[in-house]
Amino acid sequence: MEESHIIHDHDNNAEHRACLRKYLGRSNLSLRIDSKLKIQYQREVQYWKNVLLRVVEVVKFLSSKGLPFHGENEILGSTNNGNFLGCIELLCKFDPFIADHVARFGNKGKGVPSYLSSTKVDEFILLLANHVKTKIATEIKIATIKQKHTFFNQ
């Protein structure tokens, strides 16, 4: 018997179909034993995505204006904390989500993730800089190829 017929026969087997229905039923999130844990995990992931969205937008804004990020200290509420934390504080006035995040995680020190430290901000700056460099290099390569193609087709 040909291999494709064996697979076809297996897929159409009543016992296989019954097992597949059971598997799909058990993979339904509401029926799983870890459903609450999974939902909690999904909320946690969404929470940190929302934090990162705001932090990265502040990094992009300051970068696009060529402004310095850091001040004399990293203390939220200080007049000498720099442009990054100053922008975060400004956002707190209008964005309840980031205001709550800063209230819960701001000024906690090392070991408490907040994505507000100068170390993390510097990592985001490097990641964005590498992304920009890659994009520029790609655009140069494409322009060079187009130029060569135009030259040879004249």
Side-chain angles (χ1 to χ4, degrees):
M1 189 177 253
E2 219 176 290
E3 197 172 302
S4 62
H5 291 291
I6 294 170
I7 293 171
H8 178 70
D9 291 345
H10 173 76
D11 286 347
N12 291 322
N13 182 302
E15 188 176 340
H16 172 74
R17 289 182 175 271
C19 289
L20 189 58
R21 276 192 294 279
K22 281 183 183 179
Y23 168 75
L24 292 173
R26 289 179 180 164
S27 66
N28 182 349
L29 182 59
S30 63
L31 302 175
R32 289 173 39 177
I33 194 167
D34 65 340
S35 62
K36 288 183 182 177
L37 185 61
K38 181 75 172 170
I39 290 167
Q40 179 185 357
Y41 172 76
Q42 289 170 338
R43 283 186 188 142
E44 194 79 12
V45 167
Q46 190 58 47
Y47 177 86
W48 289 106
K49 281 183 181 180
N50 286 329
V51 170
L52 285 172
L53 175 70
R54 287 153 175 87
V55 168
V56 169
E57 285 303 316
V58 171
V59 170
K60 286 168 48 179
F61 170 75
L62 293 173
S63 297
S64 70
K65 303 295 181 192
L67 296 170
F69 284 74
H70 308 300
E72 292 177 19
N73 62 52
E74 290 187 56
I75 301 168
L76 286 156
S78 168
T79 56
N80 299 320
N81 62 13
N83 290 324
F84 174 75
L85 289 178
C87 285
I88 295 294
E89 290 170 341
L90 177 64
L91 283 177
C92 288
K93 293 181 179 183
F94 303 100
D95 183 348
F97 174 82
I98 197 70
D100 178 64
H101 177 74
V102 167
R104 289 173 53 205
F105 297 101
N107 293 336
K108 296 289 184 186
K110 290 186 177 186
V112 178
S114 68
Y115 294 112
L116 302 174
S117 71
S118 63
T119 306
K120 289 298 172 194
V121 170
D122 290 344
E123 284 182 39
F124 293 132
I125 293 167
L126 285 174
L127 288 170
L128 290 170
N130 287 336
H131 178 73
V132 169
K133 286 178 192 174
T134 302
K135 189 166 178 111
I136 290 170
T138 302
E139 288 177 7
I140 290 171
K141 287 177 186 175
I142 290 170
T144 303
I145 291 169
K146 284 182 180 179
Q147 187 178 21
K148 286 180 183 177
H149 180 72
T150 304
F151 177 77
F152 288 116
N153 287 334
Q154 289 180 349

